[in-house]
Amino acid sequence: MTSALTRVRDLAMLLPEAAERDEDGAPTFTVADTPFARLRGDGVEVRGDDGGWATMSLADDADWALIEDRIAHSWELAAPRGLLEAGGR
């Protein structure tokens, strides 16, 4: 069985210029040094349109299609304009 971290990592690292780093003991995914997803407890935090963070559960019944979409949208919010204009995701 694939761990939630592995699934989140696989989704995040598909995005252009994504990188992973450790932030306060938690895996954090960045684009141009700006975080767009981070694991916290039993969830993944993603950026929202309001600039805040929203937590999505990674429980056994998690909606992985929705998680994938939210991670990608969070990446779009964090990515530099030039990267988006170059084709983004």
Side-chain angles (χ1 to χ4, degrees):
M1 181 173 204
T2 304
S3 75
L5 168 59
T6 300
R7 289 184 81 169
V8 168
R9 179 181 286 131
D10 289 348
L11 294 171
M13 296 305 291
L14 284 174
L15 298 165
E17 298 187 25
E20 181 179 355
R21 69 180 181 214
D22 182 281
E23 221 172 71
D24 299 323
T28 301
F29 300 92
T30 64
V31 59
D33 289 325
T34 302
F36 66 89
R38 54 190 180 202
L39 271 77
R40 295 285 192 254
D42 61 351
V44 60
E45 292 181 337
V46 293
R47 290 181 169 274
D49 290 325
D50 63 358
W53 290 89
T55 302
M56 301 184 69
S57 173
L58 297 176
D60 290 338
D61 62 347
D63 181 344
W64 284 97
L66 179 60
I67 292 169
E68 178 179 10
D69 182 66
R70 294 292 175 96
I71 289 172
H73 183 66
S74 183
W75 176 90
E76 290 171 343
L77 294 171
R81 172 172 273 180
L83 185 57
L84 293 172
E85 291 174 354
R89 67 172 174 133

mmCIF file of all heavy atoms in Angstrom, residues 14-69:
data_model
loop_
_atom_site.group_PDB
_atom_site.id
_atom_site.type_symbol
_atom_site.label_atom_id
_atom_site.label_comp_id
_atom_site.label_asym_id
_atom_site.label_seq_id
_atom_site.Cartn_x
_atom_site.Cartn_y
_atom_site.Cartn_z
ATOM 1 N N LEU A 14 5.159 16.182 -9.940
ATOM 2 C CA LEU A 14 4.832 16.209 -11.363
ATOM 3 C C LEU A 14 4.748 17.639 -11.888
ATOM 4 O O LEU A 14 4.843 17.868 -13.085
ATOM 5 C CB LEU A 14 3.480 15.524 -11.605
ATOM 6 C CG LEU A 14 3.457 14.016 -11.557
ATOM 7 C CD1 LEU A 14 2.023 13.512 -11.671
ATOM 8 C CD2 LEU A 14 4.323 13.424 -12.659
ATOM 9 N N LEU A 15 4.560 18.581 -10.994
ATOM 10 C CA LEU A 15 4.365 19.971 -11.395
ATOM 11 C C LEU A 15 5.706 20.632 -11.738
ATOM 12 O O LEU A 15 6.726 20.354 -11.102
ATOM 13 C CB LEU A 15 3.648 20.718 -10.274
ATOM 14 C CG LEU A 15 2.253 20.132 -9.989
ATOM 15 C CD1 LEU A 15 1.727 20.629 -8.658
ATOM 16 C CD2 LEU A 15 1.305 20.461 -11.118
ATOM 17 N N PRO A 16 5.713 21.499 -12.746
ATOM 18 C CA PRO A 16 6.971 22.113 -13.190
ATOM 19 C C PRO A 16 7.716 22.833 -12.061
ATOM 20 O O PRO A 16 7.126 23.585 -11.287
ATOM 21 C CB PRO A 16 6.512 23.117 -14.256
ATOM 22 C CG PRO A 16 5.223 22.542 -14.764
ATOM 23 C CD PRO A 16 4.577 21.920 -13.559
ATOM 24 N N GLU A 17 9.011 22.560 -11.994
ATOM 25 C CA GLU A 17 9.944 23.195 -11.062
ATOM 26 C C GLU A 17 9.581 23.006 -9.593
ATOM 27 O O GLU A 17 10.022 23.773 -8.736
ATOM 28 C CB GLU A 17 10.133 24.673 -11.408
ATOM 29 C CG GLU A 17 10.736 24.848 -12.800
ATOM 30 C CD GLU A 17 11.112 26.277 -13.124
ATOM 31 O OE1 GLU A 17 11.365 27.072 -12.202
ATOM 32 O OE2 GLU A 17 11.166 26.588 -14.334
ATOM 33 N N ALA A 18 8.804 21.970 -9.294
ATOM 34 C CA ALA A 18 8.482 21.658 -7.893
ATOM 35 C C ALA A 18 9.716 21.090 -7.201
ATOM 36 O O ALA A 18 10.532 20.404 -7.812
ATOM 37 C CB ALA A 18 7.336 20.656 -7.825
ATOM 38 N N ALA A 19 9.839 21.411 -5.922
ATOM 39 C CA ALA A 19 10.940 20.910 -5.101
ATOM 40 C C ALA A 19 10.369 20.524 -3.743
ATOM 41 O O ALA A 19 9.322 21.023 -3.335
ATOM 42 C CB ALA A 19 12.016 21.967 -4.941
ATOM 43 N N GLU A 20 11.061 19.626 -3.075
ATOM 44 C CA GLU A 20 10.649 19.218 -1.736
ATOM 45 C C GLU A 20 11.703 19.640 -0.735
ATOM 46 O O GLU A 20 12.896 19.530 -1.003
ATOM 47 C CB GLU A 20 10.466 17.703 -1.674
ATOM 48 C CG GLU A 20 10.003 17.210 -0.315
ATOM 49 C CD GLU A 20 9.784 15.704 -0.254
ATOM 50 O OE1 GLU A 20 9.896 15.034 -1.288
ATOM 51 O OE2 GLU A 20 9.513 15.199 0.844
ATOM 52 N N ARG A 21 11.254 20.119 0.401
ATOM 53 C CA ARG A 21 12.179 20.448 1.485
ATOM 54 C C ARG A 21 11.501 20.129 2.809
ATOM 55 O O ARG A 21 10.280 19.959 2.878
ATOM 56 C CB ARG A 21 12.615 21.904 1.424
ATOM 57 C CG ARG A 21 11.533 22.910 1.736
ATOM 58 C CD ARG A 21 12.075 24.331 1.642
ATOM 59 N NE ARG A 21 11.063 25.309 1.971
ATOM 60 C CZ ARG A 21 10.968 26.492 1.416
ATOM 61 N NH1 ARG A 21 11.840 26.854 0.502
ATOM 62 N NH2 ARG A 21 10.021 27.333 1.779
ATOM 63 N N ASP A 22 12.309 20.072 3.840
ATOM 64 C CA ASP A 22 11.792 19.833 5.183
ATOM 65 C C ASP A 22 11.598 21.189 5.843
ATOM 66 O O ASP A 22 12.499 22.015 5.855
ATOM 67 C CB ASP A 22 12.794 18.990 5.974
ATOM 68 C CG ASP A 22 12.283 18.676 7.356
ATOM 69 O OD1 ASP A 22 12.369 19.557 8.233
ATOM 70 O OD2 ASP A 22 11.804 17.553 7.559
ATOM 71 N N GLU A 23 10.410 21.418 6.367
ATOM 72 C CA GLU A 23 10.115 22.672 7.058
ATOM 73 C C GLU A 23 9.530 22.318 8.415
ATOM 74 O O GLU A 23 8.419 21.798 8.493
ATOM 75 C CB GLU A 23 9.107 23.482 6.233
ATOM 76 C CG GLU A 23 9.392 24.952 6.178
ATOM 77 C CD GLU A 23 8.473 25.657 5.200
ATOM 78 O OE1 GLU A 23 7.274 25.778 5.491
ATOM 79 O OE2 GLU A 23 8.976 26.089 4.166
ATOM 80 N N ASP A 24 10.279 22.554 9.455
ATOM 81 C CA ASP A 24 9.832 22.236 10.819
ATOM 82 C C ASP A 24 9.460 20.763 10.965
ATOM 83 O O ASP A 24 8.476 20.422 11.625
ATOM 84 C CB ASP A 24 8.654 23.123 11.238
ATOM 85 C CG ASP A 24 9.010 24.597 11.250
ATOM 86 O OD1 ASP A 24 10.158 24.913 11.629
ATOM 87 O OD2 ASP A 24 8.161 25.430 10.876
ATOM 88 N N GLY A 25 10.216 19.888 10.312
ATOM 89 C CA GLY A 25 9.982 18.457 10.418
ATOM 90 C C GLY A 25 8.877 17.930 9.528
ATOM 91 O O GLY A 25 8.516 16.756 9.623
ATOM 92 N N ALA A 26 8.337 18.759 8.655
ATOM 93 C CA ALA A 26 7.249 18.333 7.775
ATOM 94 C C ALA A 26 7.664 18.491 6.313
ATOM 95 O O ALA A 26 8.237 19.516 5.931
ATOM 96 C CB ALA A 26 6.005 19.167 8.040
ATOM 97 N N PRO A 27 7.358 17.497 5.481
ATOM 98 C CA PRO A 27 7.631 17.639 4.052
ATOM 99 C C PRO A 27 6.812 18.801 3.477
ATOM 100 O O PRO A 27 5.606 18.897 3.713
ATOM 101 C CB PRO A 27 7.161 16.309 3.454
ATOM 102 C CG PRO A 27 7.113 15.360 4.608
ATOM 103 C CD PRO A 27 6.784 16.191 5.805
ATOM 104 N N THR A 28 7.507 19.670 2.761
ATOM 105 C CA THR A 28 6.877 20.847 2.174
ATOM 106 C C THR A 28 7.298 20.916 0.716
ATOM 107 O O THR A 28 8.463 20.724 0.380
ATOM 108 C CB THR A 28 7.329 22.123 2.918
ATOM 109 O OG1 THR A 28 6.948 21.987 4.296
ATOM 110 C CG2 THR A 28 6.702 23.372 2.340
ATOM 111 N N PHE A 29 6.335 21.197 -0.156
ATOM 112 C CA PHE A 29 6.591 21.251 -1.593
ATOM 113 C C PHE A 29 6.511 22.699 -2.035
ATOM 114 O O PHE A 29 5.590 23.432 -1.658
ATOM 115 C CB PHE A 29 5.594 20.359 -2.334
ATOM 116 C CG PHE A 29 5.708 18.937 -1.874
ATOM 117 C CD1 PHE A 29 4.913 18.461 -0.842
ATOM 118 C CD2 PHE A 29 6.660 18.101 -2.416
ATOM 119 C CE1 PHE A 29 5.048 17.163 -0.373
ATOM 120 C CE2 PHE A 29 6.811 16.798 -1.955
ATOM 121 C CZ PHE A 29 6.004 16.334 -0.932
ATOM 122 N N THR A 30 7.511 23.112 -2.821
ATOM 123 C CA THR A 30 7.653 24.516 -3.201
ATOM 124 C C THR A 30 7.816 24.665 -4.710
ATOM 125 O O THR A 30 8.201 23.725 -5.409
ATOM 126 C CB THR A 30 8.872 25.143 -2.513
ATOM 127 O OG1 THR A 30 10.055 24.490 -2.982
ATOM 128 C CG2 THR A 30 8.798 25.039 -1.003
ATOM 129 N N VAL A 31 7.546 25.873 -5.181
ATOM 130 C CA VAL A 31 7.887 26.300 -6.527
ATOM 131 C C VAL A 31 8.497 27.684 -6.359
ATOM 132 O O VAL A 31 7.912 28.541 -5.689
ATOM 133 C CB VAL A 31 6.676 26.284 -7.488
ATOM 134 C CG1 VAL A 31 5.542 27.171 -7.022
ATOM 135 C CG2 VAL A 31 7.112 26.636 -8.905
ATOM 136 N N ALA A 32 9.682 27.879 -6.899
ATOM 137 C CA ALA A 32 10.405 29.151 -6.751
ATOM 138 C C ALA A 32 10.488 29.551 -5.274
ATOM 139 O O ALA A 32 10.263 30.710 -4.916
ATOM 140 C CB ALA A 32 9.751 30.245 -7.580
ATOM 141 N N ASP A 33 10.798 28.584 -4.423
ATOM 142 C CA ASP A 33 10.945 28.769 -2.976
ATOM 143 C C ASP A 33 9.657 29.183 -2.260
ATOM 144 O O ASP A 33 9.703 29.577 -1.101
ATOM 145 C CB ASP A 33 12.060 29.769 -2.646
ATOM 146 C CG ASP A 33 13.431 29.203 -2.919
ATOM 147 O OD1 ASP A 33 13.619 27.990 -2.708
ATOM 148 O OD2 ASP A 33 14.312 29.961 -3.349
ATOM 149 N N THR A 34 8.526 29.098 -2.908
ATOM 150 C CA THR A 34 7.244 29.416 -2.283
ATOM 151 C C THR A 34 6.484 28.122 -2.031
ATOM 152 O O THR A 34 6.227 27.373 -2.976
ATOM 153 C CB THR A 34 6.403 30.342 -3.188
ATOM 154 O OG1 THR A 34 7.156 31.532 -3.438
ATOM 155 C CG2 THR A 34 5.077 30.691 -2.551
ATOM 156 N N PRO A 35 6.122 27.849 -0.793
ATOM 157 C CA PRO A 35 5.387 26.615 -0.494
ATOM 158 C C PRO A 35 4.007 26.594 -1.163
ATOM 159 O O PRO A 35 3.329 27.618 -1.218
ATOM 160 C CB PRO A 35 5.221 26.638 1.025
ATOM 161 C CG PRO A 35 6.228 27.607 1.524
ATOM 162 C CD PRO A 35 6.417 28.610 0.419
ATOM 163 N N PHE A 36 3.654 25.418 -1.693
ATOM 164 C CA PHE A 36 2.308 25.257 -2.239
ATOM 165 C C PHE A 36 1.584 24.057 -1.633
ATOM 166 O O PHE A 36 0.363 23.940 -1.766
ATOM 167 C CB PHE A 36 2.303 25.197 -3.775
ATOM 168 C CG PHE A 36 2.973 23.988 -4.371
ATOM 169 C CD1 PHE A 36 2.264 22.821 -4.614
ATOM 170 C CD2 PHE A 36 4.310 24.024 -4.719
ATOM 171 C CE1 PHE A 36 2.877 21.720 -5.187
ATOM 172 C CE2 PHE A 36 4.934 22.930 -5.290
ATOM 173 C CZ PHE A 36 4.219 21.773 -5.526
ATOM 174 N N ALA A 37 2.294 23.172 -0.965
ATOM 175 C CA ALA A 37 1.658 22.038 -0.272
ATOM 176 C C ALA A 37 2.583 21.603 0.852
ATOM 177 O O ALA A 37 3.812 21.625 0.704
ATOM 178 C CB ALA A 37 1.404 20.886 -1.226
ATOM 179 N N ARG A 38 1.972 21.213 1.977
ATOM 180 C CA ARG A 38 2.787 20.733 3.094
ATOM 181 C C ARG A 38 1.971 19.733 3.896
ATOM 182 O O ARG A 38 0.764 19.885 4.068
ATOM 183 C CB ARG A 38 3.280 21.879 3.957
ATOM 184 C CG ARG A 38 2.215 22.805 4.470
ATOM 185 C CD ARG A 38 2.803 24.045 5.100
ATOM 186 N NE ARG A 38 1.734 24.911 5.593
ATOM 187 C CZ ARG A 38 1.856 26.185 5.804
ATOM 188 N NH1 ARG A 38 3.015 26.775 5.589
ATOM 189 N NH2 ARG A 38 0.859 26.899 6.260
ATOM 190 N N LEU A 39 2.656 18.713 4.354
ATOM 191 C CA LEU A 39 1.997 17.704 5.166
ATOM 192 C C LEU A 39 1.987 18.148 6.606
ATOM 193 O O LEU A 39 3.004 18.602 7.133
ATOM 194 C CB LEU A 39 2.696 16.347 5.028
ATOM 195 C CG LEU A 39 2.121 15.526 3.873
ATOM 196 C CD1 LEU A 39 2.622 16.021 2.563
ATOM 197 C CD2 LEU A 39 2.369 14.079 4.073
ATOM 198 N N ARG A 40 0.838 18.017 7.232
ATOM 199 C CA ARG A 40 0.663 18.365 8.638
ATOM 200 C C ARG A 40 -0.231 17.309 9.256
ATOM 201 O O ARG A 40 -1.392 17.160 8.848
ATOM 202 C CB ARG A 40 -0.004 19.733 8.811
ATOM 203 C CG ARG A 40 0.824 20.895 8.299
ATOM 204 C CD ARG A 40 1.971 21.209 9.256
ATOM 205 N NE ARG A 40 2.593 22.468 8.955
ATOM 206 C CZ ARG A 40 3.784 22.574 8.388
ATOM 207 N NH1 ARG A 40 4.457 21.509 8.064
ATOM 208 N NH2 ARG A 40 4.311 23.762 8.163
ATOM 209 N N GLY A 41 0.293 16.574 10.201
ATOM 210 C CA GLY A 41 -0.490 15.536 10.860
ATOM 211 C C GLY A 41 -1.020 14.536 9.858
ATOM 212 O O GLY A 41 -0.275 13.983 9.058
ATOM 213 N N ASP A 42 -2.329 14.355 9.843
ATOM 214 C CA ASP A 42 -2.939 13.396 8.920
ATOM 215 C C ASP A 42 -3.603 14.096 7.737
ATOM 216 O O ASP A 42 -4.571 13.609 7.161
ATOM 217 C CB ASP A 42 -3.950 12.512 9.645
ATOM 218 C CG ASP A 42 -5.096 13.313 10.259
ATOM 219 O OD1 ASP A 42 -5.017 14.562 10.270
ATOM 220 O OD2 ASP A 42 -6.060 12.698 10.710
ATOM 221 N N GLY A 43 -3.043 15.261 7.351
ATOM 222 C CA GLY A 43 -3.606 15.998 6.231
ATOM 223 C C GLY A 43 -2.530 16.676 5.403
ATOM 224 O O GLY A 43 -1.354 16.668 5.740
ATOM 225 N N VAL A 44 -2.974 17.241 4.310
ATOM 226 C CA VAL A 44 -2.098 18.050 3.465
ATOM 227 C C VAL A 44 -2.704 19.442 3.406
ATOM 228 O O VAL A 44 -3.907 19.604 3.206
ATOM 229 C CB VAL A 44 -1.913 17.445 2.043
ATOM 230 C CG1 VAL A 44 -3.225 17.326 1.292
ATOM 231 C CG2 VAL A 44 -0.905 18.247 1.234
ATOM 232 N N GLU A 45 -1.873 20.447 3.629
ATOM 233 C CA GLU A 45 -2.306 21.833 3.545
ATOM 234 C C GLU A 45 -1.972 22.366 2.160
ATOM 235 O O GLU A 45 -0.881 22.135 1.647
ATOM 236 C CB GLU A 45 -1.599 22.691 4.593
ATOM 237 C CG GLU A 45 -2.007 22.365 6.005
ATOM 238 C CD GLU A 45 -1.306 23.237 7.033
ATOM 239 O OE1 GLU A 45 -0.217 23.784 6.752
ATOM 240 O OE2 GLU A 45 -1.862 23.360 8.139
ATOM 241 N N VAL A 46 -2.937 23.067 1.572
ATOM 242 C CA VAL A 46 -2.760 23.675 0.257
ATOM 243 C C VAL A 46 -3.204 25.130 0.330
ATOM 244 O O VAL A 46 -4.025 25.500 1.161
ATOM 245 C CB VAL A 46 -3.554 22.922 -0.833
ATOM 246 C CG1 VAL A 46 -2.990 21.534 -1.055
ATOM 247 C CG2 VAL A 46 -5.035 22.847 -0.493
ATOM 248 N N ARG A 47 -2.672 25.935 -0.546
ATOM 249 C CA ARG A 47 -3.036 27.354 -0.597
ATOM 250 C C ARG A 47 -4.459 27.507 -1.128
ATOM 251 O O ARG A 47 -4.883 26.799 -2.033
ATOM 252 C CB ARG A 47 -2.099 28.119 -1.529
ATOM 253 C CG ARG A 47 -0.710 28.252 -1.001
ATOM 254 C CD ARG A 47 0.150 29.054 -1.992
ATOM 255 N NE ARG A 47 1.392 29.383 -1.357
ATOM 256 C CZ ARG A 47 1.571 30.446 -0.586
ATOM 257 N NH1 ARG A 47 0.603 31.288 -0.388
ATOM 258 N NH2 ARG A 47 2.735 30.664 -0.026
ATOM 259 N N GLY A 48 -5.137 28.498 -0.581
ATOM 260 C CA GLY A 48 -6.479 28.823 -1.057
ATOM 261 C C GLY A 48 -6.466 30.127 -1.815
ATOM 262 O O GLY A 48 -5.506 30.894 -1.762
ATOM 263 N N ASP A 49 -7.544 30.390 -2.522
ATOM 264 C CA ASP A 49 -7.651 31.631 -3.293
ATOM 265 C C ASP A 49 -7.573 32.869 -2.409
ATOM 266 O O ASP A 49 -7.192 33.936 -2.873
ATOM 267 C CB ASP A 49 -8.969 31.655 -4.070
ATOM 268 C CG ASP A 49 -8.976 30.646 -5.213
ATOM 269 O OD1 ASP A 49 -7.916 30.428 -5.829
ATOM 270 O OD2 ASP A 49 -10.049 30.080 -5.485
ATOM 271 N N ASP A 50 -7.899 32.721 -1.132
ATOM 272 C CA ASP A 50 -7.873 33.851 -0.207
ATOM 273 C C ASP A 50 -6.491 34.098 0.390
ATOM 274 O O ASP A 50 -6.308 34.975 1.216
ATOM 275 C CB ASP A 50 -8.881 33.646 0.912
ATOM 276 C CG ASP A 50 -8.570 32.430 1.781
ATOM 277 O OD1 ASP A 50 -7.581 31.717 1.502
ATOM 278 O OD2 ASP A 50 -9.334 32.185 2.733
ATOM 279 N N GLY A 51 -5.499 33.299 -0.015
ATOM 280 C CA GLY A 51 -4.142 33.451 0.494
ATOM 281 C C GLY A 51 -3.862 32.636 1.739
ATOM 282 O O GLY A 51 -2.717 32.523 2.164
ATOM 283 N N GLY A 52 -4.902 32.068 2.322
ATOM 284 C CA GLY A 52 -4.730 31.224 3.497
ATOM 285 C C GLY A 52 -4.449 29.784 3.103
ATOM 286 O O GLY A 52 -4.252 29.465 1.926
ATOM 287 N N TRP A 53 -4.419 28.929 4.093
ATOM 288 C CA TRP A 53 -4.165 27.510 3.878
ATOM 289 C C TRP A 53 -5.407 26.713 4.240
ATOM 290 O O TRP A 53 -6.092 27.032 5.215
ATOM 291 C CB TRP A 53 -2.992 27.043 4.740
ATOM 292 C CG TRP A 53 -1.681 27.586 4.288
ATOM 293 C CD1 TRP A 53 -1.107 28.762 4.679
ATOM 294 C CD2 TRP A 53 -0.787 27.005 3.349
ATOM 295 N NE1 TRP A 53 0.098 28.939 4.042
ATOM 296 C CE2 TRP A 53 0.321 27.868 3.218
ATOM 297 C CE3 TRP A 53 -0.802 25.831 2.600
ATOM 298 C CZ2 TRP A 53 1.392 27.599 2.372
ATOM 299 C CZ3 TRP A 53 0.267 25.554 1.766
ATOM 300 C CH2 TRP A 53 1.348 26.438 1.647
ATOM 301 N N ALA A 54 -5.687 25.682 3.478
ATOM 302 C CA ALA A 54 -6.795 24.767 3.751
ATOM 303 C C ALA A 54 -6.199 23.370 3.936
ATOM 304 O O ALA A 54 -5.270 22.988 3.222
ATOM 305 C CB ALA A 54 -7.780 24.755 2.595
ATOM 306 N N THR A 55 -6.716 22.633 4.899
ATOM 307 C CA THR A 55 -6.223 21.282 5.162
ATOM 308 C C THR A 55 -7.195 20.261 4.588
ATOM 309 O O THR A 55 -8.404 20.347 4.805
ATOM 310 C CB THR A 55 -6.076 21.044 6.679
ATOM 311 O OG1 THR A 55 -5.181 22.031 7.205
ATOM 312 C CG2 THR A 55 -5.510 19.665 6.961
ATOM 313 N N MET A 56 -6.636 19.323 3.861
ATOM 314 C CA MET A 56 -7.420 18.221 3.300
ATOM 315 C C MET A 56 -6.983 16.936 3.981
ATOM 316 O O MET A 56 -5.784 16.664 4.102
ATOM 317 C CB MET A 56 -7.201 18.139 1.793
ATOM 318 C CG MET A 56 -7.586 19.414 1.079
ATOM 319 S SD MET A 56 -7.438 19.252 -0.690
ATOM 320 C CE MET A 56 -8.775 18.122 -1.001
ATOM 321 N N SER A 57 -7.935 16.140 4.391
ATOM 322 C CA SER A 57 -7.660 14.886 5.083
ATOM 323 C C SER A 57 -7.024 13.871 4.140
ATOM 324 O O SER A 57 -7.390 13.771 2.968
ATOM 325 C CB SER A 57 -8.960 14.306 5.645
ATOM 326 O OG SER A 57 -8.729 13.018 6.169
ATOM 327 N N LEU A 58 -6.082 13.123 4.681
ATOM 328 C CA LEU A 58 -5.457 12.028 3.933
ATOM 329 C C LEU A 58 -5.864 10.676 4.512
ATOM 330 O O LEU A 58 -5.138 9.703 4.414
ATOM 331 C CB LEU A 58 -3.928 12.182 3.959
ATOM 332 C CG LEU A 58 -3.389 13.444 3.290
ATOM 333 C CD1 LEU A 58 -1.884 13.543 3.470
ATOM 334 C CD2 LEU A 58 -3.756 13.483 1.808
ATOM 335 N N ALA A 59 -7.055 10.639 5.095
ATOM 336 C CA ALA A 59 -7.574 9.401 5.667
ATOM 337 C C ALA A 59 -7.782 8.366 4.556
ATOM 338 O O ALA A 59 -7.707 8.691 3.361
ATOM 339 C CB ALA A 59 -8.893 9.676 6.385
ATOM 340 N N ASP A 60 -8.063 7.140 4.964
ATOM 341 C CA ASP A 60 -8.224 6.048 4.001
ATOM 342 C C ASP A 60 -9.272 6.335 2.933
ATOM 343 O O ASP A 60 -9.159 5.853 1.809
ATOM 344 C CB ASP A 60 -8.575 4.744 4.724
ATOM 345 C CG ASP A 60 -7.398 4.210 5.529
ATOM 346 O OD1 ASP A 60 -6.243 4.564 5.215
ATOM 347 O OD2 ASP A 60 -7.640 3.432 6.471
ATOM 348 N N ASP A 61 -10.289 7.126 3.261
ATOM 349 C CA ASP A 61 -11.355 7.412 2.300
ATOM 350 C C ASP A 61 -11.145 8.751 1.583
ATOM 351 O O ASP A 61 -12.079 9.335 1.043
ATOM 352 C CB ASP A 61 -12.713 7.394 2.985
ATOM 353 C CG ASP A 61 -12.837 8.459 4.076
ATOM 354 O OD1 ASP A 61 -11.806 9.046 4.472
ATOM 355 O OD2 ASP A 61 -13.970 8.692 4.522
ATOM 356 N N ALA A 62 -9.907 9.227 1.535
ATOM 357 C CA ALA A 62 -9.593 10.516 0.915
ATOM 358 C C ALA A 62 -9.977 10.514 -0.562
ATOM 359 O O ALA A 62 -9.859 9.502 -1.257
ATOM 360 C CB ALA A 62 -8.099 10.824 1.070
ATOM 361 N N ASP A 63 -10.430 11.662 -1.037
ATOM 362 C CA ASP A 63 -10.782 11.853 -2.446
ATOM 363 C C ASP A 63 -9.520 12.310 -3.179
ATOM 364 O O ASP A 63 -9.210 13.499 -3.238
ATOM 365 C CB ASP A 63 -11.893 12.898 -2.552
ATOM 366 C CG ASP A 63 -12.352 13.154 -3.978
ATOM 367 O OD1 ASP A 63 -11.634 12.773 -4.934
ATOM 368 O OD2 ASP A 63 -13.421 13.757 -4.133
ATOM 369 N N TRP A 64 -8.781 11.357 -3.727
ATOM 370 C CA TRP A 64 -7.480 11.661 -4.320
ATOM 371 C C TRP A 64 -7.581 12.508 -5.590
ATOM 372 O O TRP A 64 -6.673 13.264 -5.909
ATOM 373 C CB TRP A 64 -6.663 10.395 -4.520
ATOM 374 C CG TRP A 64 -6.110 9.956 -3.209
ATOM 375 C CD1 TRP A 64 -6.618 9.018 -2.366
ATOM 376 C CD2 TRP A 64 -4.972 10.513 -2.542
ATOM 377 N NE1 TRP A 64 -5.861 8.950 -1.215
ATOM 378 C CE2 TRP A 64 -4.843 9.850 -1.300
ATOM 379 C CE3 TRP A 64 -4.054 11.505 -2.853
ATOM 380 C CZ2 TRP A 64 -3.835 10.149 -0.391
ATOM 381 C CZ3 TRP A 64 -3.042 11.796 -1.954
ATOM 382 C CH2 TRP A 64 -2.946 11.121 -0.740
ATOM 383 N N ALA A 65 -8.689 12.405 -6.315
ATOM 384 C CA ALA A 65 -8.858 13.273 -7.490
ATOM 385 C C ALA A 65 -8.975 14.731 -7.047
ATOM 386 O O ALA A 65 -8.375 15.626 -7.657
ATOM 387 C CB ALA A 65 -10.087 12.842 -8.286
ATOM 388 N N LEU A 66 -9.719 14.980 -5.975
ATOM 389 C CA LEU A 66 -9.854 16.332 -5.444
ATOM 390 C C LEU A 66 -8.519 16.819 -4.874
ATOM 391 O O LEU A 66 -8.122 17.969 -5.097
ATOM 392 C CB LEU A 66 -10.935 16.382 -4.365
ATOM 393 C CG LEU A 66 -11.164 17.748 -3.710
ATOM 394 C CD1 LEU A 66 -11.584 18.786 -4.743
ATOM 395 C CD2 LEU A 66 -12.197 17.627 -2.602
ATOM 396 N N ILE A 67 -7.820 15.963 -4.159
ATOM 397 C CA ILE A 67 -6.507 16.334 -3.605
ATOM 398 C C ILE A 67 -5.554 16.710 -4.728
ATOM 399 O O ILE A 67 -4.854 17.726 -4.650
ATOM 400 C CB ILE A 67 -5.951 15.204 -2.720
ATOM 401 C CG1 ILE A 67 -6.802 15.071 -1.445
ATOM 402 C CG2 ILE A 67 -4.475 15.444 -2.386
ATOM 403 C CD1 ILE A 67 -6.519 13.824 -0.633
ATOM 404 N N GLU A 68 -5.523 15.923 -5.787
ATOM 405 C CA GLU A 68 -4.657 16.230 -6.930
ATOM 406 C C GLU A 68 -5.008 17.597 -7.518
ATOM 407 O O GLU A 68 -4.116 18.416 -7.795
ATOM 408 C CB GLU A 68 -4.797 15.155 -8.002
ATOM 409 C CG GLU A 68 -3.973 15.434 -9.242
ATOM 410 C CD GLU A 68 -4.084 14.356 -10.295
ATOM 411 O OE1 GLU A 68 -4.945 13.457 -10.180
ATOM 412 O OE2 GLU A 68 -3.290 14.411 -11.255
ATOM 413 N N ASP A 69 -6.296 17.875 -7.691
ATOM 414 C CA ASP A 69 -6.728 19.155 -8.242
ATOM 415 C C ASP A 69 -6.325 20.306 -7.332
ATOM 416 O O ASP A 69 -5.840 21.339 -7.799
ATOM 417 C CB ASP A 69 -8.244 19.139 -8.457
ATOM 418 C CG ASP A 69 -8.714 20.432 -9.084
ATOM 419 O OD1 ASP A 69 -8.339 20.700 -10.245
ATOM 420 O OD2 ASP A 69 -9.444 21.193 -8.406
#
